[in-house]
Amino acid sequence: MSYFFLGLSATLFAFCLFVMQKTVKYVFPSDKKIFIIVLFLMMTILLYGYQFFNSYFVNNFSYISNKILSYIVYYYLAFIIYGAMVYFLVLVIEMIFKYKLNFNLYKPAFIIIFIILGIGTFYKHNTMVTEYEIDSEGKVTAPMNIVLVSDVHLGYINENASFIKMIDKVNSLEPDIVLIAGDLIDMYLEPVLEKNMLNELKNIKSTYGTYFTLGNHDIYGSKAAMLTEILRNNAGTIVLRDEKILINNEIYIAGRDNFSQKPIKEILDGKDDKPVVLIQHTPDTIEEAVENGVFLQVSGHTHKGQMFPGRIFTKKIFKIDYGHEKIEDTNIIVSSGYGTWGPPIRIGSQSEIVIIKIK
């Protein structure tokens, strides 16, 4: 277990205690304090238990049980994160206006936490379509519509209904090519197979097909080979694992596995001067893509931070954490993603499908 993970777990536990202490002391009447303390402790134990022994729950509990537990655990996690932030703000206000405030700020703050979670849920479930236009400078003979989705995170929270909604929106954009830039599943393949979620991919309608490259969550559950086989044989999806394919004798689509050590130069070996679209889940190969003359790299992974203040960190970690930039002759597009990891909420980001119009 890494020191980073231990530090993160300890910080989260401190947040749990802080939120519990302020809630018990200032929000609920004295006759409810024992009940609230017990409730917080039970929820905290469940939070850590479900994270540390997640595979046990997946293998031994029913789909509906895991779905309910996922919602409870991840909303509690979001409640603790935003509870700590809101209560800390109240604490600062109290310190600034010491002895001058004659009312309890923690009660409205408690309500504000739930308002934040409600807003975050809204932005998770309301998907925007982001459009970019790229001039191929004559490299492509006819206009082309490429639809990009990433970070679907299929599982107990992001289910068939959400996936079907995404596919319907993708089809409405009349794509020539559909790219799925990793994290199609949320680590565990079992719930995805139990509900036949991958079968929905057959309903994507495009001129030249659907192309997928593995993200970190597709690999974490040690089922990458099985996922690849299912997608290739039963879901009508072309999986590109450190390989390329020529489309309509016009444009190459290349895909690189997350965590792959294979250089982009080797993946593109033998190609002619036609433009290359590289699917790379994590946007950490930008310099390498530029060096190898990639026309367009599409990525996801960052979720645009997903939950404020997450983007403060993604902007520090990645050269481009969201949006479209052109570096020399290479276009980089990073999507905020369609689904969510963990809490099914977005604050400071929004569920997204991208359409790229190549002129």
Side-chain angles (χ1 to χ4, degrees):
M1 189 180 296
S2 70
Y3 288 114
F4 172 78
F5 187 72
L6 284 172
L8 196 63
S9 297
T11 301
L12 179 60
F13 187 69
F15 283 179
C16 289
L17 294 179
F18 175 68
V19 174
M20 180 180 72
Q21 189 266 337
K22 295 300 181 186
T23 302
V24 168
K25 186 174 182 179
Y26 295 109
V27 177
F28 289 93
S30 57
D31 62 331
K32 297 289 193 299
K33 291 186 187 300
I34 298 299
F35 171 76
I36 298 302
I37 290 171
V38 171
L39 180 61
F40 265 95
L41 292 176
M42 288 176 59
M43 291 297 294
T44 302
I45 291 169
L46 181 61
L47 170 63
Y48 279 88
Y50 198 68
Q51 291 305 303
F52 285 119
F53 303 104
N54 198 228
S55 59
Y56 175 83
F57 283 94
V58 170
N59 292 321
N60 293 279
F61 283 62
S62 68
Y63 181 93
I64 190 64
S65 296
N66 275 290
K67 177 180 176 178
I68 292 169
L69 285 170
S70 294
Y71 271 95
I72 292 172
V73 164
Y74 289 126
Y75 267 110
Y76 178 66
L77 174 61
F79 171 79
I80 291 299
I81 292 170
Y82 285 105
M85 286 193 283
V86 172
Y87 283 167
F88 180 76
L89 181 60
V90 170
L91 191 62
V92 170
I93 293 171
E94 285 187 331
M95 291 173 65
I96 294 172
F97 298 98
K98 194 172 183 180
Y99 306 122
K100 295 180 181 179
L101 296 174
N102 57 4
F103 57 93
N104 181 359
L105 288 176
Y106 286 95
K107 286 188 177 181
F110 184 74
I111 296 170
I112 288 170
I113 297 166
F114 286 95
I115 292 173
I116 291 171
L117 299 186
I119 292 170
T121 301
F122 172 83
Y123 281 110
K124 189 270 183 190
H125 289 285
N126 285 267
T127 304
M128 67 178 182
V129 175
T130 304
E131 181 178 316
Y132 301 108
E133 284 193 2
I134 297 177
D135 188 350
S136 73
E137 299 175 352
K139 295 174 184 174
V140 175
T141 59
M144 183 175 291
N145 286 344
I146 298 177
V147 171
L148 164 67
V149 293
S150 72
D151 303 279
V152 183
H153 287 276
L154 291 174
Y156 295 115
I157 288 178
N158 301 288
E159 300 179 285
N160 273 328
S162 174
F163 199 29
I164 291 168
K165 180 182 174 184
M166 184 201 84
I167 290 169
D168 289 342
K169 177 61 72 174
V170 166
N171 288 339
S172 73
L173 298 173
E174 300 180 346
D176 294 305
I177 297 171
V178 174
L179 307 178
I180 304 175
D183 281 5
L184 178 61
I185 67 170
D186 193 32
M187 192 159 73
Y188 291 105
L189 192 54
E190 288 83 353
V192 177
L193 296 182
E194 186 174 342
K195 295 298 180 180
N196 296 315
M197 297 181 195
L198 298 177
N199 287 348
E200 300 297 339
L201 287 166
K202 295 176 182 177
N203 296 321
I204 294 179
K205 298 177 175 63
S206 65
T207 309
Y208 302 115
T210 301
Y211 301 83
F212 167 70
T213 293
L214 295 169
N216 54 308
H217 279 259
D218 303 308
I219 295 170
Y220 283 155
S222 302
K223 298 288 179 68
M226 184 184 295
L227 174 62
T228 300
E229 183 180 358
I230 292 168
L231 291 176
R232 285 175 171 170
N233 296 334
N234 302 313
T237 301
I238 299 168
V239 183
L240 297 172
R241 305 193 62 180
D242 296 345
E243 54 194 326
K244 66 182 182 300
I245 186 170
L246 181 61
I247 306 299
N248 195 37
N249 200 36
E250 180 108 271
I251 191 168
Y252 284 98
I253 307 294
R256 189 169 184 260
D257 275 10
N258 212 83
F259 308 124
S260 173
Q261 298 300 309
K262 190 169 186 177
I264 292 174
K265 184 178 181 179
E266 289 187 22
I267 296 172
L268 301 183
D269 184 49
K271 82 169 188 69
D272 51 28
D273 60 355
K274 294 180 177 65
V276 174
V277 175
L278 173 67
I279 316 172
Q280 168 73 40
H281 175 64
T282 304
D284 56 2
T285 56
I286 292 172
E287 291 84 359
E288 194 180 355
V290 173
E291 288 172 7
N292 285 277
V294 170
F295 169 63
L296 169 64
Q297 175 178 314
V298 296
S299 298
H301 184 67
T302 69
H303 294 214
K304 198 184 176 185
Q306 185 170 319
M307 293 164 51
F308 175 85
R311 199 178 181 205
I312 293 173
F313 302 103
T314 60
K315 290 181 78 171
K316 292 286 186 183
I317 295 169
F318 300 103
K319 185 172 184 177
I320 302 170
D321 78 313
Y322 176 73
H324 173 221
E325 280 191 39
K326 187 173 183 180
I327 303 174
E328 296 181 18
D329 294 325
T330 301
N331 293 276
I332 309 294
I333 291 177
V334 182
S335 172
S336 64
Y338 179 77
T340 50
W341 173 86
I345 68 173
R346 284 178 174 268
I347 302 290
S349 68
Q350 189 168 351
S351 173
E352 177 182 67
I353 294 171
V354 176
I355 181 165
I356 307 162
K357 296 189 173 183
I358 310 292
K359 298 189 296 180

